[in-house]
Amino acid sequence: MHFKFTGGEPIYIQIASQLEEAIFTGVFSEGEQIPSTTEISRDFHINPATVLKGMNILVEAGLIEKRRGIGMFVANGAQTKLIGVRREQFYKNYVESMISEATKLGISKGLLQKMIEKGWK
């Protein structure tokens, strides 16, 4: 984990984002325990409340779960959930704008498909 202590993005958001990315990429598998708030706060000199705030974002999203007295664990189905969310974000952030721009340029659906296939190679 790497944190930018100067800049616009709050540390708790960076913690949530980096843990989410680790779950998405399989660094932490479903059912696996993630580092504790104490470990992260100690290793990176971050207030434990800040670390917990970031983790609670993932708890609310259903990506990690608290097991009282044991720690935080990756929830079952977390990676699948993230794939679904990211696919929807990909569609909204890239595909919709690409189609809009293609329409403005007079690019047909067929030509756009050919262009995508050309780029895929």
Side-chain angles (χ1 to χ4, degrees):
M1 291 184 165
H2 301 286
F3 302 103
K4 295 179 183 174
F5 293 98
T6 57
E9 189 172 50
I11 299 299
Y12 74 95
I13 297 291
Q14 293 180 50
I15 291 166
S17 296
Q18 290 186 39
L19 288 172
E20 180 182 297
E21 184 67 18
I23 293 167
F24 175 71
T25 59
V27 172
F28 297 122
S29 303
E30 293 179 7
E32 183 177 349
Q33 187 171 13
I34 64 171
S36 70
T37 55
T38 304
E39 290 172 315
I40 294 172
S41 64
R42 181 192 64 228
D43 292 348
F44 298 100
H45 308 287
I46 300 170
N47 184 312
T50 302
V51 176
L52 185 58
K53 189 174 181 180
M55 288 183 167
N56 281 336
I57 292 171
L58 302 181
V59 170
E60 290 171 17
L63 300 176
I64 62 174
E65 57 189 17
K66 297 178 186 180
R67 295 187 188 163
R68 191 173 200 104
I70 301 174
M72 300 276 202
F73 291 79
V74 178
N76 288 332
Q79 190 176 46
T80 302
K81 184 181 281 190
L82 282 172
I83 289 170
V85 167
R86 289 189 176 199
R87 283 181 177 173
E88 185 61 30
Q89 289 172 341
F90 179 81
Y91 177 79
K92 292 225 174 272
N93 295 335
Y94 299 102
V95 176
E96 284 182 346
S97 61
M98 178 181 62
I99 292 170
S100 175
E101 188 67 15
T103 302
K104 291 175 193 172
L105 293 170
I107 297 172
S108 68
K109 179 180 175 182
L111 179 56
L112 183 57
Q113 287 174 329
K114 286 180 184 176
M115 294 170 83
I116 291 170
E117 288 172 7
K118 179 181 175 184
W120 198 263
K121 292 178 183 176

